[in-house]
Amino acid sequence: MGVDKKQERKKVLEAFTRQGILDAAIGLLTRDGIQGLTMDRVAMEAGVAKGTLYVYFKNKEEILDATLDASFDPLIRELSVLLDDDRAPDRKLADFSLCHLRFFDEHGDLIRVLFFDRERMHSEKNHYTDSRYRTFVKRVADVLDEGGRQGLFVPLDSMKVAAMFIEANMGMIMQRIHDGISGDVEKDARQITDIFMEGLRQKKK
Amino acid sequence: MGVDKKQERKKVLEAFTRQGILDAAIGLLTRDGIQGLTMDRVAMEAGVAKGTLYVYFKNKEEILDATLDASFDPLIRELSVLLDDDRAPDRKLADFSLCHLRFFDEHGDLIRVLFFDRERMHSEKNHYTDSRYRTFVKRVADVLDEGGRQGLFVPLDSMKVAAMFIEANMGMIMQRIHDGISGDVEKDARQITDIFMEGLRQKKK
Amino acid sequence: MGVDKKQERKKVLEAFTRQGILDAAIGLLTRDGIQGLTMDRVAMEAGVAKGTLYVYFKNKEEILDATLDASFDPLIRELSVLLDDDRAPDRKLADFSLCHLRFFDEHGDLIRVLFFDRERMHSEKNHYTDSRYRTFVKRVADVLDEGGRQGLFVPLDSMKVAAMFIEANMGMIMQRIHDGISGDVEKDARQITDIFMEGLRQKKK
Amino acid sequence: MGVDKKQERKKVLEAFTRQGILDAAIGLLTRDGIQGLTMDRVAMEAGVAKGTLYVYFKNKEEILDATLDASFDPLIRELSVLLDDDRAPDRKLADFSLCHLRFFDEHGDLIRVLFFDRERMHSEKNHYTDSRYRTFVKRVADVLDEGGRQGLFVPLDSMKVAAMFIEANMGMIMQRIHDGISGDVEKDARQITDIFMEGLRQKKK
DNA sequence: GATGAATGAGTTTTCATTCAT
DNA sequence: TATGAATGAAAACTCATTCAT
């Protein structure tokens, strides 16, 4: 039992240090971008020795991956829940946009990291990150397919349209960030949904 | 006249070397991403000495900028012409998508560079790249505004919708690349236009 | 206590490496002049890796500064003590010369470094070295002023004469070095003092 | 005859280009110090091609030597004339100081170069520069010896005192430069001579 | 497990010099 | 003779990683 307790305490402590390292990495990434992320600085920011980083992570790559995971985990979790429940597909897409925009309003700085992520996404070294993104596209595509089956949406290549939709959201987010997060989120989210639902065209009487 | 000829030949030669360096840089960027772009490799790839790079460019930054410029110049030029002529706004947007998709079908590898570009775009150091992108968003926004004035489009925040539109195109492009450039360009371009024009919603009788 | 010991040993070790680097730099400077001082060579001479230099010093500049400091510290300390005590101003100047000459008899090779120092002194980038020299001139000037107040010296512009005096010492030192440190120090030191005290002129009966 | 004329014209032209290069080097040295003297800049400043420098000079070293020669030539010539004429030794020394100070009042910027020169003076690579300085010390020493013979000066080691005297002048010059060339030249020159002639000591009645 | 001193390969950049024209 | 494009050796500096304690 004493052993159990000890082990448990050890685990908790380890998790604590690990998280500290990730937090440090997030902070640096957010503040200084990918160029600012050096092992030296992560160690300093995390308040541990450089060598300690290698106790918890195999190398820099792993820290980066774990950092990105940790950063986007909240968003992904939220969006997943949202896409998985049993509401109408169009409602899901609307909420998707809203949720997306809100996340970046709060974690706007992370967007640079996201772009970094995107870059790595297409690098041969990082299939993992890519797969995370693909899973995501697939999930949105499923919603579109569901909408198609329900006779709600026109026939479409769901994967492609899903990618369009996600990127359109990103475009809006980038614009908001560029403008200094202007306007209220609900309105901009509605703008996205409106266009995807009804198009730009002025309907004749 | 002899002097003129000499000067001309010199200029041609100079442009040739310069272009050779840029081509080398594009090749490396395309093949190995931003991490693969070292001055050593550019020199080797271009078949010149390292020092020669500094004869034609002030530093690495300049090579990168020139490389990106050279890469996207054709696309930007084509899109500019397209957005500037006097056809109907909706036609312009349709052609924009088509042109966009076609470009990346042909220069698909460049997309990784684009993402790199994007990352730098939001870095504090590179207002230049940013401004190029912004100019672009503005141009699309102008088309949207024109459409609005003509009663063709619903009222909208043109900058934000322009950003959405551009990014939606990119999403489609990325998806095409991921799928191995599947399907014909016209159809996918139409898909984008259709959604932006008419929305996803199945129209009731 | 164990911790204390460890820390102490670490500090000693650190100081040891640092001093090793400085010694290497002094050696190189002495042997090959400023041109011979490359980071590569310092590292090799010190028996450490190039990277290690940057652990102990921010850049080459810092190594140079620290090297000069370390080299002249003994002289400056000795001269300071000498100028600060409460003997008669003329005695102080005499001892100043003696001390000066002795130092360079022992560290003759350093003179080249001194000249290097001088060059940098007047460079816009190195106010520090300059200020060290200026402080020195000021101190000698203070002695001259004190001599003036005591009615010992004729009225004079103390800063200028101080500079003259210091440089005259340097001239003597350079000449000694050129001649292979000929003659005894005391005599040459007295020569300086004699001239500054009594002048060159043969006194008429 | 035609050949002679041609040759002559060629010589004149060559001398012209050569001088242009030296002027460029002096300008750069004066403006940016030794670090600013690159072959590229010399060529640009002189308005010739880089290759041309190597037509007129064997290498950078030679340009430097020639530049320093050209810079100090006026001073050396003036001082030489002064030391060689047949006035009284003490008059010569007084004029020496005055001339020295005046030269640096007018060419103050050159002082940095002088110091650079001094550094090289003690480098094994440049016996030439050293010898120029030595010749100079010797000349002043001759004046001192002459003064000795005339019963004007006390017995002394003339080379050492000559070095002291020259350096004392430099000290005054540096101080003047540091103060922004304060005070009139005559007075400061007299200060030097007074001290060397009469010493600092207040003469008792 | 934690440390942090040490490493050294790798990177950018400089610049004197050469040589074909 | 004059050119200037090209060179490449050498320099400063970075930083992920290792390893003895």
Side-chain angles (χ1 to χ4, degrees), chain A residues 26-39:
Chain A
I26 293 176
L28 282 168
L29 227 36
T30 298
R31 220 176 314 127
D32 309 321
I34 184 70
Q35 309 256 26
L37 198 83
T38 69
M39 297 303 265

Side-chain angles (χ1 to χ4, degrees), chain B residues 20-78:
Chain B
I21 292 171
L22 290 184
D23 287 345
I26 291 175
L28 281 168
L29 228 34
T30 298
R31 216 176 319 127
D32 309 321
I34 183 71
Q35 308 256 24
L37 197 85
T38 71
M39 298 304 264
D40 261 292
R41 286 201 221 176
V42 173
M44 197 177 304
E45 188 92 356
V48 298
K50 232 188 302 185
T52 308
L53 304 183
Y54 291 88
V55 173
Y56 289 89
F57 301 91
K58 201 180 139 210
N59 51 28
K60 195 182 176 181
E61 184 97 4
E62 260 198 11
I63 292 192
L64 251 165
D65 284 348
T67 300
L68 296 176
D69 268 351
S71 304
F72 291 106
D73 193 53
L75 174 62
I76 285 169
R77 203 186 304 267
E78 219 178 328

Side-chain angles (χ1 to χ4, degrees), chain D residues 28 149 153 178:
Chain D
L28 282 168
R149 272 193 300 280
F153 299 152
H178 180 264

